Amino acid sequence: MDSIIVTGNGPLSGQIPIAGAKNACLTLMPATLLSDEPLTLTNAPRLSDIRTMTTLLQSLGAEVQALNEGQVLALSSHALTSTRAEYDIVRKMRASILVLGPLLAKHGHAEVSLPGGCAIGARPVDLHLRALEAMGAELDLREGYVHAKAPAGGLKGGIVDFPLVSVGATENALMAATLAKGTTLIKNAAREPEIVDLARCLQKMGAQISGEGTSTIEVQGVETLGGATHRVVTDRIELGTYMLAPAIAGGEVECLGGTIELVQSFCETLDAAGISVEETPTGLKVSRKNGRVRAVDVTTEPFPGFPTDLQAQMMALLCTAEGTSVLEEKIFENRFMHAPELMRMGAQIDVHGGTAKVTGVDKLKGAPVMATDLRASVSLILAGLAAEGETVVNRVYHLDRGYEHVVRKLSGVGAKIERVRNE
Ligand code: EPZ
């Protein structure tokens, strides 16, 4: 198992290219199941989660080719052999549930393993199921699988009214509604840029969608969908993560491909903390010239609020801020597992339920720490950029799920970082 060793090495400078979004690609790939025509995704990120989705789609009989060193995905599902998503693949990645809506809409039936538990929270899929039931699906949960059946003639348009905002359930409902007979209204829909990116791709395939990016999405079902070529939107979470590198270590870094629009509320929080963010023709330039970071309070919310996927990284910044910050995690019930690891580095953090109080210290000290999930792992690397001495982050397989070339990207702006294999 690999570890990453980071040594505090002073201010950073240079450029970091931001890849296509994992969380967009993971919903764009299953969209191929809605059509017999080829779908080509460009600007695809090279991540283990994308490889897991590839394995899942191939297990159903879809063709998935990774071209151009994996940055282009050529997908086709014209000759599907199965509509059963096996537990062995689904247990590796919860986003596998995103094949359920498209399979049901296109083939009228599907068997998809339930994803099971997750480190950051219970993460049920009840809203996904209720959305499909609102389109006339019959669902039966048995032996750990969802057995889904569409009514005769296929899914029907309906009203999907989510009691709480869910990114995944909105994506499943949106994809299923494109082939449902009649009109579907998705109320209290998620507004994330990944949802807008999915809608854009589906529109290119011939879907009739309006209201994407707002809380109410309307879909007019069509008979069939065609093919398309679609560029995956920039990864706003990778973007936010690397924007925090110069904020934590000092210096100035330009994140290529970033736009304020993708990270508006995050930029407002950085501004309040004394970090300058400037839009350039090629990206976002972030700098912390002098002085200490100011303490700020953060509450995670669905888009356009502060993203939960940047909460751990933000906590790493606030560990050395001037004053006390309060972070409230409103999306997931167990997403502070990075806190005890940051405390091993000398941070002062008090966690009570969904609230963490971070009292800034002058400097963190390097230590061996353990990654517990994807975003927690990168927050420990960020903390190590400004810590005294060496930080050794273990279990970095979590990181590979959502970040490509971390060592190359950070050492490219002057960080002292390496990946080592433990025998
Ligand atoms: C997506 O997960 C992202 N994953 C997550 O990113 C992200 O944290 C999350 O959205 C919130 O922004 C992907 O896109 C692959 P939700 P998702 O459904 O769709 C509850 C990362 O680090 N809920 O919006 O699973 C749920 O438990 C990952 O890249 C139900 O109760 O999130 C949570 O509390 C981590 N029933 C809340 O809603 C349901 O049926 C929001 O979850 C569905 C969700």
Side-chain angles (χ1 to χ4, degrees):
M1 224 188 291
D2 291 7
S3 299
I4 286 188
I5 303 178
V6 194
T7 308
N9 195 35
L12 306 175
S13 75
Q15 298 179 317
I16 298 181
I18 306 300
K22 166 180 83 78
N23 290 347
C25 206
L26 287 177
T27 187
L28 289 164
M29 293 171 75
T32 187
L33 299 169
L34 292 164
S35 167
D36 292 334
E37 304 300 320
L39 173 64
T40 304
L41 299 175
T42 62
N43 195 35
R46 285 134 329 162
L47 305 166
S48 61
D49 271 8
I50 302 301
R51 291 189 288 279
T52 305
M53 184 58 84
T54 298
T55 307
L56 176 60
L57 293 172
Q58 288 171 338
S59 76
L60 303 173
E63 288 160 23
V64 184
Q65 277 187 293
L67 309 169
N68 190 6
E69 291 172 4
Q71 284 193 307
V72 174
L73 298 173
L75 305 112
S76 167
S77 66
H78 68 280
L80 226 56
T81 51
S82 163
T83 57
R84 183 179 166 89
E86 295 290 346
Y87 172 66
D88 236 18
I89 304 174
V90 174
R91 70 182 172 77
K92 295 196 184 102
M93 182 183 67
R94 312 183 52 73
S96 307
I97 193 79
L98 295 172
V99 300
L100 177 60
L103 283 173
L104 190 56
K106 179 79 165 57
H107 297 277
H109 57 84
E111 281 158 44
V112 175
S113 168
L114 287 165
C118 169
I120 64 176
R123 302 184 75 179
V125 294
D126 56 321
L127 300 178
H128 298 242
L129 307 184
R130 280 168 55 180
L132 297 172
E133 280 171 342
M135 291 180 227
E138 258 174 55
L139 304 174
D140 181 13
L141 302 188
R142 97 169 165 264
E143 290 134 18
Y145 281 74
V146 184
H147 296 259
K149 202 164 163 304
L155 292 178
K156 310 256 176 295
I159 297 193
V160 176
D161 194 350
F162 288 123
L164 62 96
V165 172
S166 160
V167 172
T170 301
E171 291 164 344
N172 244 330
L174 180 55
M175 289 190 278
T178 57
L179 295 178
K181 302 255 170 322
T183 307
T184 300
L185 212 54
I186 306 174
K187 295 183 171 178
N188 200 21
R191 302 167 53 191
E192 272 66 4
E194 295 77 34
I195 305 264
V196 174
D197 204 42
L198 174 64
R200 293 270 179 283
C201 179
L202 293 168
Q203 285 159 341
K204 284 180 198 157
M205 294 164 74
Q208 310 259 330
I209 300 169
S210 57
E212 67 277 8
T214 76
S215 303
T216 306
I217 302 176
E218 184 168 322
V219 186
Q220 298 292 341
V222 294
E223 274 304 307
T224 59
L225 289 175
T229 296
H230 180 77
R231 181 183 162 80
V232 180
V233 71
T234 297
D235 193 320
R236 65 194 168 95
I237 305 301
E238 190 196 26
L239 170 62
T241 300
Y242 287 120
M243 288 169 73
L244 282 165
I248 289 177
E252 181 176 273
V253 167
E254 184 184 10
C255 296
L256 300 174
T259 61
I260 296 263
E261 186 198 10
L262 285 170
V263 280
Q264 180 78 49
S265 63
F266 176 66
C267 289
E268 285 156 15
T269 305
L270 288 186
D271 180 55
I275 307 297
S276 111
V277 179
E278 189 197 319
E279 199 143 28
T280 68
T282 45
L284 293 181
K285 195 181 278 180
V286 182
S287 60
R288 193 194 91 207
K289 294 264 165 30
N290 45 39
R292 256 175 99 180
V293 172
R294 289 193 292 271
V296 288
D297 294 344
V298 172
T299 301
T300 63
E301 293 169 300
F303 192 89
F306 189 98
T308 173
D309 295 345
L310 286 172
Q311 177 259 98
Q313 300 92 314
M314 193 69 201
M315 185 184 276
L317 174 72
L318 297 172
C319 287
T320 53
E322 190 132 34
T324 298
S325 312
V326 176
L327 287 99
E328 283 201 77
E329 174 53 57
K330 293 269 184 188
I331 307 292
F332 293 108
E333 60 274 24
N334 187 31
R335 202 169 202 181
F336 284 136
M337 291 194 291
H338 39 285
E341 300 302 317
L342 289 167
M343 288 158 79
R344 289 177 49 72
M345 299 174 71
Q348 277 185 28
I349 308 170
D350 204 5
V351 175
H352 286 290
T355 304
K357 219 166 84 174
V358 183
T359 304
V361 297
D362 291 348
K363 194 135 181 92
L364 294 179
K365 299 209 171 24
V369 290
M370 192 73 78
T372 47
D373 62 76
L374 167 59
R375 307 303 172 183
S377 57
V378 83
S379 80
L380 301 174
I381 289 177
L382 289 175
L385 292 175
E388 228 165 66
E390 250 184 31
T391 299
V392 182
V393 183
N394 297 303
R395 293 197 189 157
V396 289
Y397 56 82
H398 288 290
L399 197 73
D400 299 335
R401 299 189 59 172
Y403 294 91
E404 56 174 44
H405 308 312
V406 172
V407 170
R408 189 195 301 171
K409 289 188 179 185
L410 285 172
S411 48
V413 292
K416 198 157 181 275
I417 181 169
E418 60 173 324
R419 185 171 182 134
V420 294
R421 170 111 339 143
N422 303 318
E423 298 316 325

